[in-house]
Amino acid sequence: MSRGKLILRSKKDQAVRRFHPWIFSNAIKSQSGEVNDGEIVEVYSNKEKFLGCGHYQQEGSISVRMLSFFNEEWNEDIIATRIKRAYQTRVKANLLRDDNNCFRLIFAEGDRLPGLIADYYAGYVVMQCHSSGMYYMRQTLADAIMKLDGVKGVYCKFASSLTKMYEDVDEPSLLAGEEFPEDLVAVENGIQFMIDWKYGQKTGFFIDQRDNRKLLGELSKGKKVLNTFCYTGGFSLYALKHGAELVHSLDSSQPALDIIDKSLELNMISSSNHKNICADAVQYIKELEVDYDMIILDPPAFAKSRHARHNAVQGYKRLNAAAMRQIKSGGIIATFSCSQVVDADLFYNTIVAAALSVEREVKVLSKLSQPADHPIGMFHPEGSYLKGLILEVI
Ligand code: SAH
């Protein structure tokens, strides 16, 4: 059986020549051999120059996720090597310590494993496949992850994008190692968090905000903090630990809020100055009655595709304008966007537009982004997705 071959249209090979890992469906001129969903295909230029190998995907706009380029030989061992390297990168970044055992182990393109996400929680790894190629090789991936130091088990969940594409995607399951504890606890910068690996959103926790949680925690001392889109209370626990006067955690998900109480207990943090609020963030901010010193806005990705970008920008503007209108003079707003299609410039300009609309003076105190366990491949700028601004509203 011959491996599938794809030939690209002329001029549609520039991105691959520059080691960009995505090939869009409209770049493909013709195909031959066994081109099957989730399998490896060879990619050639219009002049039949070999460009590399990648996972072919039938559905969606990205048809191939490149795993090797013309200057390296493809074989399946590359995958295990990259998994090992990804782990070493986290160790080098000093993310595996007595007081920190929670990090993103594999960040897709950033670790040259496009389509694969894996998060490490105290030795228990939750893996998410976003492409059929990674989905089909999930057992090989889990076995390779299992070989890393300290890994106790690998559980596989599937990204919603994949479950929408394929009706017969397996149920989430343990692929290697021991059963996960029901009450899984991981430590982030010395703070213990209950990880809802089974029913929670994504892999169970939003690790990408670790550095920003630490920074905002330090700024929270003596302040009244409103943490909106708080999920399981990441920013809230840091704020309380650093001596915030009061913290209100707001989310539209009651199950997420319920976990905050368990984590407070784990850390023996008194909940007397903490309150959970189950509500819509924009609505609550519009009717704000407390004079918060700090408002954190960390919404889910408003845009998942380019088509949705315009509406997303309007959503960010509305949310931020509401917070800017309501916050007291001298108050801090920490605002984030995790939409990949809204880049740092567009996000910044959107926040400027929000400030203009409320006619208040706003200063940028810090520009924030994503931590070392969410590395950005130099040839894949799209990997940079988390943006944040700390603002002072006068
Ligand atoms: N800041 C969090 C992660 C936020 S994820 C952390 O540090 O862990 C985004 C959260 O927004 C999810 O928990 C989701 O339930 C919540 N959410 C989505 N839409 C919302 C809305 N309209 N109002 C309030 N919360 C919302």
Side-chain angles (χ1 to χ4, degrees):
M1 208 168 57
S2 72
R3 187 181 277 161
K5 268 185 167 189
L6 298 180
I7 299 192
L8 303 187
R9 292 179 201 282
S10 75
K11 304 219 175 82
K12 289 285 188 187
D13 59 0
Q14 282 117 330
V16 191
R17 285 178 191 273
R18 304 189 65 222
F19 308 110
H20 193 286
W22 295 343
I23 295 176
F24 291 96
S25 53
N26 64 4
I28 298 170
K29 186 171 93 177
S30 63
Q31 65 177 63
S32 59
E34 294 284 323
V35 176
N36 294 323
D37 184 51
E39 288 182 7
I40 296 292
V41 287
E42 295 177 357
V43 178
Y44 293 82
S45 75
N46 187 42
K47 293 196 174 138
E48 305 222 9
K49 181 183 174 329
F50 177 63
L51 298 174
C53 292
H55 274 149
Y56 179 71
Q57 179 139 333
Q58 198 102 41
E59 301 278 336
S61 58
I62 303 176
S63 293
V64 184
R65 289 174 173 81
M66 297 299 286
L67 292 162
S68 66
F69 292 99
F70 45 87
N71 59 346
E72 42 191 6
E73 194 150 336
W74 160 254
N75 64 59
E76 235 185 63
D77 298 343
I78 286 182
I79 301 288
T81 307
R82 287 192 189 147
I83 289 176
K84 226 182 198 163
R85 194 170 298 143
Y87 176 81
Q88 286 160 354
T89 302
R90 277 62 183 174
V91 173
K92 256 179 249 175
N94 197 25
L95 293 171
L96 188 57
R97 315 184 303 262
D98 285 348
D99 67 344
N100 197 88
N101 59 21
C102 179
F103 52 83
R104 176 147 290 185
L105 172 63
I106 297 165
F107 181 49
E109 286 83 1
D111 290 300
R112 294 203 59 205
L113 292 163
L116 182 64
I117 294 292
D119 286 340
Y120 181 105
Y121 299 117
Y124 296 93
V125 175
V126 181
M127 185 170 109
Q128 269 199 316
C129 300
H130 290 255
S131 69
S132 38
M134 290 300 180
Y135 172 62
Y136 291 134
M137 61 184 308
R138 61 195 179 284
Q139 191 60 54
T140 310
L141 299 168
D143 293 341
I145 292 172
M146 196 61 212
K147 289 202 181 103
L148 303 172
D149 280 352
V151 172
K152 296 178 190 146
V154 183
Y155 184 78
C156 188
K157 274 176 137 179
F158 304 106
S160 54
S161 53
L162 202 68
T163 34
K164 265 183 229 142
M165 251 183 255
Y166 307 97
E167 281 166 8
D168 56 347
V169 166
D170 281 358
E171 289 293 307
S173 59
L174 184 77
L175 293 183
E178 62 184 67
E179 288 291 338
F180 282 34
E182 282 298 321
D183 286 340
L184 175 59
V185 176
V187 187
E188 184 184 274
N189 289 321
I191 303 180
Q192 298 183 67
F193 285 98
M194 189 68 82
I195 308 295
D196 192 7
W197 55 275
K198 202 167 193 174
Y199 305 110
Q201 299 178 30
K202 304 283 173 80
T203 68
F205 196 53
F206 291 88
I207 300 177
D208 55 358
Q209 289 286 25
R210 180 184 51 245
D211 291 358
N212 301 329
R213 286 195 274 258
K214 183 163 185 279
L215 178 69
L216 287 173
E218 287 160 5
L219 295 182
S220 301
K221 192 170 187 297
K223 295 203 170 74
K224 296 192 193 106
V225 179
L226 172 64
N227 178 15
T228 67
F229 306 94
C230 68
Y231 186 50
T232 52
F235 286 102
S236 304
L237 268 97
Y238 277 76
L240 289 163
K241 186 109 191 194
H242 283 89
E245 181 188 324
L246 163 157
V247 175
H248 288 168
S249 301
L250 182 147
D251 202 279
S252 55
S253 159
Q254 187 61 49
L257 292 171
D258 291 342
I259 291 176
I260 304 182
D261 298 324
K262 294 189 187 174
S263 293
L264 286 174
E265 221 171 282
L266 274 174
N267 292 279
M268 292 185 288
I269 296 175
S270 152
S271 53
S272 59
N273 52 349
H274 176 258
K275 189 169 85 177
N276 285 331
I277 302 167
C278 189
D280 173 75
V282 177
Q283 209 50 43
Y284 180 85
I285 291 171
K286 278 190 179 158
E287 294 158 9
L288 211 61
E289 281 169 6
V290 182
D291 60 338
Y292 296 107
D293 303 296
M294 186 193 286
I295 299 180
I296 299 168
L297 308 171
D298 184 24
F302 282 167
K304 295 225 161 74
S305 69
R306 278 169 190 277
H307 312 292
R309 188 159 51 190
H310 177 73
N311 286 344
V313 165
Q314 295 309 316
Y316 288 120
K317 187 176 160 196
R318 258 194 311 274
L319 171 68
N320 282 276
M324 286 173 182
R325 194 171 285 123
Q326 299 290 21
I327 199 159
K328 70 182 199 192
S329 180
I332 300 273
I333 295 177
T335 181
F336 295 94
S337 160
C338 59
S339 302
Q340 186 205 72
V341 292
V342 175
D343 68 18
D345 286 343
L346 179 56
F347 181 59
Y348 189 91
N349 292 333
T350 304
I351 303 306
V352 173
L356 273 171
S357 74
V358 301
E359 300 185 358
R360 288 185 72 175
E361 182 190 342
V362 180
K363 296 181 195 176
V364 179
L365 308 188
S366 288
K367 291 185 175 184
L368 309 175
S369 81
Q370 63 209 59
D373 49 345
H374 293 66
I376 304 154
M378 285 235 115
F379 308 126
H380 180 253
E382 295 87 345
S384 160
Y385 71 100
L386 182 62
K387 292 111 1 223
L389 295 168
I390 302 186
L391 310 170
E392 185 187 6
V393 183
I394 308 298

